[in-house]
Amino acid sequence: MSLFIRNSWLLGLATILGALVGLEREKQGKSAGLRTHSLVCLGSALITLVSIYGFGPYADGVRDPARVAAQIVSGIGFLGAGTIMREGANIKGLTTAASLWTTAGIGLAIGAGLVVPAVVATAFVEIVLVVMGKVERRFIGRKQAFMRVVAVDRPGLLGEIATCVGECNMNILATDLTLDRENALVTIDITMSTSNTTATHSQLLQHLLSTPGVLRAELDNW
């Protein structure tokens, strides 16, 4: 196998594995979703390949191919930090930041040719995000969930959103509205009490996004 074909295959695999991780985040309505995770994994793999093959042969300590790739570990922190938000006593986005950091590690492994560890790590990430999330909700239970809705400001909007929440057997504990008069948009932050319900993230988001005027909806601490 030529070096071109091998590297192209590795980059393609990195794109796919990153997308698999991002797909779960996308379903949860996170801002860093499928495309972001896919690009992070692809970029990490590309930088690793460049550090190995892009600066000529290495031997006898002439150069260290890991020096460029090592910056991925610290550099991805800036992107992950952008997904973390503090609202009052609540901190949101930690899981998404951790998934971005892990996805960068997967891309780093692929670029170094460690395909099997990268695939196994992706499988474990999916287990943590999907399976452990269900276990957490079932056995640990979280009493509150937080939702942010961005929509075109219009009469009756808040009532329709409350109806969607009620249909999923949840109660609204608190709301906070931020009005953007210039663009006629409103951001609604809602604190909800959760109950044992079969409603999923995607079902609630689907109801919300089908509401006329709703542009974006995100859920956290679910």
Side-chain angles (χ1 to χ4, degrees):
M1 180 184 299
S2 68
L3 185 61
F4 171 77
I5 296 177
R6 175 184 179 276
N7 290 344
S8 298
W9 178 78
L10 290 176
L11 292 175
L13 179 63
T15 304
I16 294 172
L17 294 184
L20 289 176
V21 176
L23 182 61
E24 190 277 338
R25 296 284 84 192
E26 189 82 27
K27 289 182 178 179
Q28 309 308 319
K30 306 301 181 181
S31 55
L34 188 148
R35 291 183 297 174
T36 303
H37 283 76
S38 183
L39 288 173
V40 165
C41 198
L42 172 61
S44 298
L46 177 61
I47 293 171
T48 305
L49 289 172
V50 170
S51 68
I52 295 174
Y53 302 107
F55 301 101
Y58 63 94
D60 301 326
V62 173
R63 68 179 182 85
D64 181 6
R67 294 182 68 181
V68 175
Q71 303 307 308
I72 297 171
V73 179
S74 57
I76 193 63
F78 291 96
L79 183 60
T83 67
I84 301 174
M85 299 179 61
R86 183 182 181 91
E87 296 181 357
N90 304 312
I91 298 177
K92 303 163 58 177
L94 287 173
T95 301
T96 301
S99 68
L100 282 170
W101 188 77
T102 307
T103 301
I106 293 172
L108 182 62
I110 293 175
L114 304 176
V115 173
V116 174
V119 173
V120 172
T122 302
F124 277 115
V125 170
E126 292 296 324
I127 290 174
V128 170
L129 293 178
V130 180
V131 179
M132 287 189 181
K134 293 180 179 179
V135 171
E136 188 178 51
R137 291 191 296 271
R138 182 177 180 84
F139 295 103
I140 300 177
R142 289 182 170 175
K143 296 182 179 180
Q144 293 184 352
F146 307 97
M147 179 171 65
R148 168 167 289 184
V149 178
V150 179
V152 177
D153 186 30
R154 63 176 178 81
L157 174 65
L158 188 58
E160 293 178 19
I161 293 175
T163 300
C164 292
V165 173
E167 290 175 350
C168 292
N169 299 323
M170 289 173 288
N171 296 318
I172 295 178
L173 301 178
T175 60
D176 182 48
L177 280 70
T178 303
L179 184 61
D180 181 356
R181 297 184 182 278
E182 182 178 353
N183 298 307
L185 297 178
V186 61
T187 300
I188 307 173
D189 292 312
I190 302 175
T191 303
M192 304 174 294
S193 63
T194 62
S195 59
N196 293 327
T197 173
T198 56
T200 63
H201 299 78
S202 58
Q203 288 174 331
L204 178 57
L205 290 174
Q206 184 177 6
H207 285 309
L208 290 171
L209 292 174
S210 64
T211 303
V214 173
L215 304 178
R216 188 171 74 251
E218 298 179 359
L219 284 168
D220 272 299
N221 201 30
W222 188 289

